[in-house]
Amino acid sequence: MRGFSHPGRTLAAGAAAVLLGVAGAAFDTAPAYAGDTYVEADPSTVHAGGRVAIRASCGDDNRSQATVESDAFGRLIVTPDQGILTGAVTVPGSKRPGRYPADLQCQNGNTATTTLTVTSTAHPTRGPDAGGGGTASASTGTGGPMFLVGGIAAIGVGVGIGLLALRRRRADGA
């Protein structure tokens, strides 16, 4: 029938869109604020004793190291890494909860500030005793790359099934 989408074509088009979106996200390495001076903390809210990654840019001077200072963690030197400045620091476990500015000072004179929120020390609790489950693993990794490969394989299988259904339908109609 004209005007209606074939299920195989819809499935193939949807799978292709998802695949392109995943591939695009995997290769997006441009800084969020290219050309600007900025500093950001990830996460921006952390428990006392937690680790924070710092990303920064000194505008046109990201080949030189810079300094990030905060009452939350002291002084951190951020160094060039693929066009941006990066570093990581642990907030002391004794740090009082509150909002702390983190100030970037660049060698070219540029400055920027962000805010890091520190919460009370995390007290881990034991989860329910639910057994190992079918996905339990002796490794400590998250399995992220394997999920990506599995997802891409599933999309490929879906596209293949859709194309096979389309081919059979054309063969039956001819």
Side-chain angles (χ1 to χ4, degrees), residues 105-122:
Q105 180 63 50
C106 302
Q107 290 185 13
N108 64 3
N110 290 355
T111 61
T113 300
T114 191
T115 301
L116 178 64
T117 302
V118 177
T119 60
S120 61
T121 305

Side-chain angles (χ1 to χ4, degrees), residues 27-107:
F27 294 106
D28 182 18
T29 58
Y33 311 103
D36 293 339
T37 300
Y38 68 90
V39 60
E40 53 191 29
D42 183 26
S44 61
T45 299
V46 65
H47 290 292
R51 193 129 174 100
V52 178
I54 304 292
R55 289 175 33 114
S57 173
C58 287
D60 60 353
D61 185 21
N62 285 335
R63 292 182 306 273
S64 302
Q65 64 186 23
T67 304
V68 178
E69 290 190 62
S70 175
D71 287 339
F73 53 77
R75 182 179 175 161
L76 171 69
I77 303 295
V78 288
T79 57
D81 181 22
Q82 298 182 10
I84 60 170
L85 303 172
T86 63
V89 65
T90 300
V91 174
S94 60
K95 186 54 62 183
R96 296 183 64 124
R99 293 173 49 93
Y100 297 91
D103 300 313
L104 171 69
Q105 180 63 50
C106 302
Q107 290 185 13

Side-chain angles (χ1 to χ4, degrees), residues 128-156:
D129 188 7
T135 60
S137 171
S139 72
T140 59
T142 62
M146 290 307 296
F147 284 121
L148 178 62
V149 170
I152 291 172
I155 290 169

